Amino acid sequence: MDFTEKRLGDVAEIMAGLTGFTDKGKYRYSVVQPNSFTDTGLMNEVDVQRRSDELTDKQMLSVGDILVKRLNPSFVHVVALESVGMVASQNILVVRPGAEIDPDYLGYLLEQKDILGQVEQVTGSAAAIKAVSVKKLAGITIPVIPLLEQRKVGAIWKLSRKRKQLLNEYMTENDRLVSSLASQIISGGGNGR
């Protein structure tokens, strides 16, 4: 398959999350923190914080934006409709893909160790805590394949994340069931007594 290598900064806009939130202020915003999203693509609760100034549309999250944790990024979050209008905290970088890049494909790439590993190569650092900056992220190179192929890869990645989410839910329910049955047996509610 034909592909070209391009710098991420050439095919996407990369922005730092915002600072300046307080407990007081005229404007209220839902602020996404690093612990607000999971490795399966789900958005958990977000903080509601205030500012004295109004933010622009560009500063708000849009469908297809990709959220990358600044510290130890091991998974990303692709913004869906339910997160539009929220704001990224200062501990998150926002990657806004251009027209030639599918957001889910880019999300997949940004979870690959050889892609994110370039951040370490760029910095030459071997620190235990990997900090990512806008400049470092913009400097990594990614393979750009035809858009139709990007969409296929992105769809497979999304299905894989959904499978992981369902398996996690299954394991949680399984653990609950085993615990309940064991408690019943231990407390004499089983047929063995």
Side-chain angles (χ1 to χ4, degrees), residues 104-125:
D104 293 321
Y105 171 70
L106 187 53
Y108 163 77
L109 289 178
L110 291 174
E111 286 190 351
Q112 303 311 301
K113 292 193 184 322
D114 56 330
I115 300 290
L116 269 185
Q118 293 177 48
V119 171
E120 294 172 24
Q121 292 174 357
V122 170
T123 62
S125 165

Side-chain angles (χ1 to χ4, degrees), residues 27-106:
Y27 301 97
R28 291 171 38 115
Y29 296 98
S30 296
V31 181
V32 179
Q33 302 290 345
N35 62 350
S36 297
F37 52 94
T38 69
D39 63 346
T40 60
L42 295 178
M43 180 65 73
N44 294 325
E45 289 188 33
V46 296
D47 297 335
V48 175
Q49 296 181 10
R50 296 182 173 272
R51 286 179 71 101
S52 57
D53 59 328
E54 190 171 10
L55 298 177
T56 66
D57 286 344
K58 183 179 177 179
Q59 293 171 305
M60 307 272 205
L61 297 179
S62 301
V63 169
D65 285 352
I66 300 162
L67 307 182
V68 179
K69 297 178 183 185
R70 290 182 74 117
L71 292 178
N72 296 319
S74 57
F75 58 89
V76 301
H77 179 78
V78 179
V79 173
L81 198 55
E82 69 270 4
S83 304
V84 168
M86 292 182 181
V87 180
S89 77
Q90 64 186 0
N91 298 315
I92 294 176
L93 298 177
V94 179
V95 179
R96 188 163 288 162
E100 69 177 302
I101 302 294
D102 179 74
D104 293 321
Y105 171 70
L106 187 53

Side-chain angles (χ1 to χ4, degrees), residues 72-186:
N72 296 319
S74 57
F75 58 89
V76 301
H77 179 78
V78 179
V79 173
L81 198 55
E82 69 270 4
S83 304
V84 168
M86 292 182 181
V87 180
S89 77
Q90 64 186 0
N91 298 315
I92 294 176
L93 298 177
V94 179
V95 179
R96 188 163 288 162
E100 69 177 302
I101 302 294
D102 179 74
D104 293 321
Y105 171 70
L106 187 53
Y108 163 77
L109 289 178
L110 291 174
E111 286 190 351
Q112 303 311 301
K113 292 193 184 322
D114 56 330
I115 300 290
L116 269 185
Q118 293 177 48
V119 171
E120 294 172 24
Q121 292 174 357
V122 170
T123 62
S125 165
I129 297 178
K130 300 176 200 121
V132 180
S133 69
V134 170
K135 184 178 178 181
K136 291 176 192 173
L137 199 55
I140 67 172
T141 57
I142 62 165
V144 178
I145 59 177
L147 197 53
L148 181 61
E149 303 304 315
Q150 289 181 35
R151 289 186 179 127
K152 290 177 185 176
V153 171
I156 291 168
W157 177 67
K158 281 177 64 173
L159 285 173
S160 174
R161 291 181 120 206
K162 181 65 176 175
R163 178 177 172 263
K164 185 175 185 176
Q165 173 199 340
L166 292 172
L167 287 171
N168 287 345
E169 290 171 8
Y170 169 77
M171 292 302 298
T172 300
E173 185 60 24
N174 184 64
D175 291 348
R176 188 198 63 74
L177 179 62
V178 168
S179 179
S180 175
L181 289 172
S183 291
Q184 285 180 4
I185 292 168
I186 291 168

